[in-house]
């Protein structure tokens, strides 16, 4: 049993579940700095897209609503730390919490879930050959046209989406156009891809995993997988990955050739796969297939938008094509389902472009409504002077017309599945800083409940950020705090889009005003405070603190109250 030379590096490389944490190049590659022809995003208007409050749940780690789907495709527990195995969370579990009103109580207006389409069936080496790494996170796609059985059934997906829509909550899929999953031994066996050594089915282990795959097998055998016209993989009959952002193989994952203008046929393994909706698409490129497969979920279920993984590793034209197809598909679904739609808001896309901050660039002219903001997590969120500088800077850059006359948005967070969880003993102050920030916000599951870190390995510490949701040990103080702030934010577009002004230093007080919507907030305050509100609320006007519930009238430009930790003032 031989191993191709590049596999020696692979054996020492952490096989990361999400690909955003494996690179650190500038946000916009040089070859993408000039926008390709595309449709510019229209100025933001009042509505959910101007104030997105997005809850991100790793579905498998959230709640097990249907234990009958556990262990699909022969997936098993590892009997150890269960770092990279499927834990049982599913679409039915999300529906349970939707029906309980959990997300509405947080003020959430969009639910981002991990990619629910079919993933590779088995496991690959995790970290430095330290654990069995399954595709529980949705980043190792196998069949884009089928629902992964561990996630549930088509009926369960439809019920989840319909339940969310009935509450005014959008549903966003995490999607990947940069790469499919690795070829794992279990999938190779099940789909008759003839590149395994004899005995692999029963003898492979975590430590000798790659020794059971014949990486030097004849190219005709490897052609039975995706094939060289579809991906770069450095295998017989496949091109090597490149050195630039657009053609490299992230973590040695096969790289889709989305830039190719050559039509391709259906990959051989999908032609043989008995349970697939994939069919030959005449005169269609790799990009065309992926766009069709992903937009079909929108057309069938009314998915409201996509969070696009590893966006800087796919050319802008592909993202523009996906946005156009998604927009058409969602409009079609809404026309056919007028009683189920929330409104007529168009399809929405947010991208992961590591390490993007709060700036407008070519991505916003090529399909993206928003980009993840990697800046806020590392800011001094407990320092009020620094926080004001951050708020003022964000508000100025995001103001309508400030970026060359074109509005744009970002999605800020404090914890991520690709980086780390924010300190669990600082979730009150960090949650306040996040939920009062200009722009859009993303709540990572468990930040609102003080979910602790989970098990990980030295070779892949990010796995610790993906622990099971702590339903049996929720911190009620933290949860109530996040609920109050989330509901307040949901009522006030001014927090996301308004003009920011500091009103006082001790305690730190600021206002945001957007049209007729106006708020005054104190991130940290306790006891008797006199809040300066002149220019925001008039003398004699009745004002309510949404945090403590206290209300009263403004006098002499001041509103007095007993602060209960945070102050959130709104017109009654």
């Amino acid at each position: 049993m031989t191993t191709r030379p590049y596999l020696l590096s692979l054996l020492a490389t952490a096989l990361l579940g999400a690909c955003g944490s494996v690179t650190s190049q500038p946000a916009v590659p040089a070859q993408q700095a000039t926008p390709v022809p595309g449709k510019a995003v229209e100025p933001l208007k009042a509505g959910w897209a101007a104030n997105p409050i997005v809850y991100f749940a790793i579905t498998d780690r959230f709640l097990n609503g249907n234990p009958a789907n556990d262990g699909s495709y022969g997936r098993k527990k590892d009997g150890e730390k269960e770092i990279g195995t499927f834990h049982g969370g599913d679409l039915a579990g999300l529906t349970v919490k939707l029906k309980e009103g959990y997300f509405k109580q947080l003020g959430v207006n969009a639910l981002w879930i991990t990619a629910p389409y079919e993933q590779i069936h088995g496991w690959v080496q995790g970290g430095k050959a330290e654990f069995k790494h399954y595709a529980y996170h949705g980043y190792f796609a196998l069949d884009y046209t089928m629902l992964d059985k561990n996630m549930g059934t088509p009926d369960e997906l439809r019920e989840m989406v319909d339940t969310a829509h009935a509450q005014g909550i959008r549903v966003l899929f995490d999607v990947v156009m940069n790469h499919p999953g690795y070829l794992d031994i279990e999938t190779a066996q099940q789909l008759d891809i003839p590149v395994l050594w004899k005995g692999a089915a029963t003898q492979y282990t975590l430590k000798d995993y790659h020794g059971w795959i014949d990486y030097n097998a004849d190219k005709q055998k490897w052609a039975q997988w995706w094939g060289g016209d579809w991906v770069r993989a450095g295998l017989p009959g496949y091109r090597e990955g490149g050195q630039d952002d657009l053609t490299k193989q992230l973590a040695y994952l096969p790289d889709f050739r989305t830039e190719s203008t050559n039509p391709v046929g259906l990959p051989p393994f999908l032609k043989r796969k008995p349970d697939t909706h994939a069919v030959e698409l005449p005169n269609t490129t790799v990009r065309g297939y992926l766009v069709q497969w992903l937009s079909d979920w929108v057309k069938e279920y009314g998915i409201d938008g996509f969070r696009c993984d590893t966006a800087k590793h796919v050319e802008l034209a592909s993202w523009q094509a996906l946005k156009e197809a998604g927009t058409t598909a969602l409009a079609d679904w809404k026309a056919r389902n007028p009683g189920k739609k929330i409104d007529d808001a168009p399809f929405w896309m947010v991208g992961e472009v590591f390490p993007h901050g709060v700036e407008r660039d070519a991505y916003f002219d090529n399909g993206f409504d928003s980009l993840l903001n990697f800046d806020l997590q590392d800011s001094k969120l407990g320092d009020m002077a620094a926080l004001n500088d951050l708020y003022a800077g964000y508000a100025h850059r995001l103001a309508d017309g400030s970026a060359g006359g074109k509005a744009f948005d970002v999605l800020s967070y404090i914890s991520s599945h690709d980086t780390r969880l924010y300190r669990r003993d600082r979730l009150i102050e960090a949650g306040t800083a996040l939920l009062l920030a200009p722009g859009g916000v993303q709540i990572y599951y468990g930040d609102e409940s003080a979910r602790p870190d989970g098990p990980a390995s030295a070779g892949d510490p990010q796995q610790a950020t993906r622990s099971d949701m702590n339903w049996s040990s929720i911190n009620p103080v933290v949860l109530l705090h996040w609920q109050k702030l989330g509901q307040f934010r949901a009522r006030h577009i001014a927090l996301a889009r308004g003009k920011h002004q500091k009103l006082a230093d001790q305690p730190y007080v600021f206002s945001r005003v957007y049209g007729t919507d106006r708020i005054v907030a104190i991130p940290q305050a306790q006891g008797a405070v006199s809040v300066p509100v002149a220019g925001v609320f008039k003398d004699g006007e009745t004002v309510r603190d949404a945090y403590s519930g206290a209300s009263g009238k403004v006098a002499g430009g001041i509103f007095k109250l007993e602060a209960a930790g945070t102050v959130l003032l709104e017109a009654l």
Side-chain angles (χ1 to χ4, degrees):
M1 295 179 286
T2 59
T3 303
R4 285 176 63 84
Y6 83 89
L7 256 300
L8 296 176
S9 297
L10 175 57
L11 293 172
T13 299
L15 302 181
L16 301 179
C19 298
S21 59
V22 301
T23 56
S24 59
Q25 294 83 3
V28 184
Q31 63 267 36
Q32 291 192 8
T34 301
V36 301
K39 184 178 181 181
V41 177
E42 303 231 344
L44 294 174
K45 300 175 182 177
W48 96 272
N51 185 20
I53 306 170
V54 181
Y55 190 98
F56 172 31
I58 294 182
T59 307
D60 175 68
R61 305 299 170 87
F62 192 67
L63 181 68
N64 192 343
N66 182 6
N69 61 40
D70 297 354
S72 296
Y73 312 108
R75 293 165 178 159
K76 298 180 177 64
K77 300 290 187 181
D78 64 21
E80 298 180 7
K81 294 182 179 180
E82 310 299 343
I83 294 172
T85 56
F86 278 84
H87 290 193
D90 48 28
L91 297 167
L94 292 169
T95 303
V96 167
K97 290 301 173 180
L98 279 163
K99 290 181 176 179
E100 290 179 1
Y102 184 80
F103 303 107
K104 287 296 288 184
Q105 291 166 7
L106 281 167
V108 167
N109 57 20
L111 177 58
W112 155 19
I113 65 171
T114 45
Y117 42 77
E118 187 177 349
Q119 303 293 304
I120 63 173
H121 294 174
W123 53 270
V124 295
Q125 286 179 328
K128 298 177 180 178
E130 297 162 301
F131 62 92
K132 295 178 180 179
H133 190 168
Y134 285 89
Y136 69 88
H137 39 62
Y139 294 115
F140 297 164
L142 176 68
D143 187 344
Y144 284 81
T145 72
M146 298 297 292
L147 193 63
D148 194 281
K149 292 179 182 178
N150 264 82
M151 296 296 101
T153 66
D155 285 343
E156 288 172 329
L157 173 58
R158 200 177 307 278
E159 182 184 15
M160 188 274 287
V161 175
D162 290 349
T163 303
H165 284 170
Q167 298 179 19
I169 296 174
R170 324 275 164 166
V171 176
L172 313 175
F173 276 10
D174 209 330
V175 301
V176 187
M177 287 182 68
N178 179 66
H179 59 266
Y182 303 98
L183 180 62
D184 68 283
I185 291 176
E186 190 67 27
T187 300
Q189 292 179 74
Q190 293 179 11
L191 298 183
D192 297 320
I193 300 171
V195 296
L196 302 180
W197 292 103
K198 185 177 180 180
T202 57
Q203 299 182 54
Y204 73 99
T205 68
L206 181 60
K207 296 303 180 183
D208 66 5
Y209 188 93
H210 287 288
W212 292 99
I213 302 174
D214 185 0
Y215 290 104
N216 292 316
D218 185 84
K219 65 181 181 180
Q220 296 303 319
K221 292 183 177 181
W222 276 105
Q224 298 306 304
W225 188 36
W226 284 94
D229 290 338
W230 271 82
V231 298
R232 284 172 280 265
L235 297 163
Y238 293 73
R239 288 172 173 79
E240 296 281 349
Q243 299 300 312
D244 59 84
D245 280 344
L246 297 179
T247 61
K248 66 173 22 175
Q249 290 179 246
L250 293 178
Y252 293 97
L253 284 155
D255 185 68
F256 278 129
R257 297 181 59 199
T258 47
E259 81 289 349
S260 175
T261 58
N262 297 324
V264 294
L266 202 62
F269 81 92
L270 283 177
K271 291 180 181 179
R272 300 191 306 273
K273 191 171 181 283
D275 58 338
T276 184
H277 294 313
V279 297
E280 292 278 358
L281 301 176
N283 197 34
T284 301
T285 62
V286 172
R287 177 192 299 168
Y289 272 95
L290 292 172
V291 167
Q292 182 69 57
W293 291 342
L294 291 170
S295 60
D296 278 349
W297 293 100
V298 180
K299 187 174 182 180
E300 177 65 23
Y301 295 95
I303 305 307
D304 300 280
F306 290 153
R307 179 271 187 185
C308 302
D309 185 64
T310 53
K312 76 174 180 181
H313 298 288
V314 178
E315 62 284 342
L316 294 174
S318 288
W319 295 125
Q320 180 65 30
L322 182 63
K323 177 62 172 298
E324 291 173 356
T327 299
T328 299
L330 184 57
D332 177 83
W333 181 85
K334 289 183 177 184
R336 290 182 287 108
N337 296 275
K340 291 184 176 182
K341 68 179 182 179
I342 300 173
D343 52 31
D344 290 320
F347 189 73
W348 188 82
M349 284 193 353
V350 58
E352 178 229 4
V353 183
F354 183 82
H356 208 282
V358 184
E359 61 266 350
R360 195 186 192 285
D361 51 29
Y363 290 96
F364 294 95
D365 294 316
N366 291 277
F368 288 102
D369 300 279
S370 184
L371 294 178
L372 294 179
N373 173 26
F374 289 83
D375 174 69
L376 186 133
Q377 183 182 39
D378 293 322
S379 300
K380 297 178 181 179
L381 303 183
D383 181 325
M384 294 300 101
L387 186 63
N388 181 69
D389 289 343
L390 180 142
Y391 283 171
Y394 283 12
H396 173 73
R397 279 172 268 168
L398 294 168
D400 293 344
S402 67
K406 297 177 181 178
F408 73 105
D409 201 19
V410 296
L411 207 59
S412 299
Y413 64 88
I414 61 167
S415 296
S416 165
H417 64 315
D418 281 338
T419 56
R420 67 185 184 280
L421 297 184
Y422 204 88
R423 283 182 55 176
R424 302 290 91 177
D425 62 345
R426 293 288 185 269
L427 289 173
I428 294 289
E429 69 179 34
T432 304
L434 173 68
L435 293 172
L436 295 179
V441 297
Q442 172 223 300
I443 301 171
Y444 186 42
Y445 81 107
D447 274 355
E448 80 283 6
S449 63
R451 171 176 61 89
D453 286 276
S457 74
D460 192 353
Q462 284 77 28
Q463 294 291 334
T465 68
R466 308 164 188 181
S467 55
D468 290 337
M469 183 64 177
N470 57 324
W471 295 115
S472 63
S473 60
I474 285 177
N475 184 317
V477 175
V478 174
L479 179 60
L480 181 60
H481 181 75
W482 282 64
Q483 288 173 337
K484 288 179 178 180
L485 280 156
Q487 291 176 33
F488 181 72
R489 184 179 186 90
R491 292 195 297 273
H492 295 290
I493 190 175
L495 276 169
R497 310 305 311 174
K499 181 180 179 181
H500 176 87
Q501 184 175 352
K502 182 174 71 171
L503 301 180
D505 287 312
Q506 295 294 333
Y508 169 49
V509 185
F510 70 85
S511 66
R512 300 255 174 82
V513 178
Y514 188 79
T516 59
D517 189 34
R518 56 223 155 99
I519 67 94
V520 171
I522 309 178
Q524 297 178 13
Q526 197 74 47
V529 291
S530 296
V531 187
V533 297
V536 184
F537 301 114
K538 299 177 181 178
D539 282 358
E541 187 171 4
T542 301
V543 174
R544 172 180 177 267
D545 173 24
Y547 196 85
S548 68
S551 61
K553 293 185 182 296
V554 176
I558 299 293
F559 180 74
K560 296 182 179 181
L561 79 159
E562 289 288 323
T566 299
V567 175
L568 306 172
L569 299 184
E570 60 189 353
L572 187 60

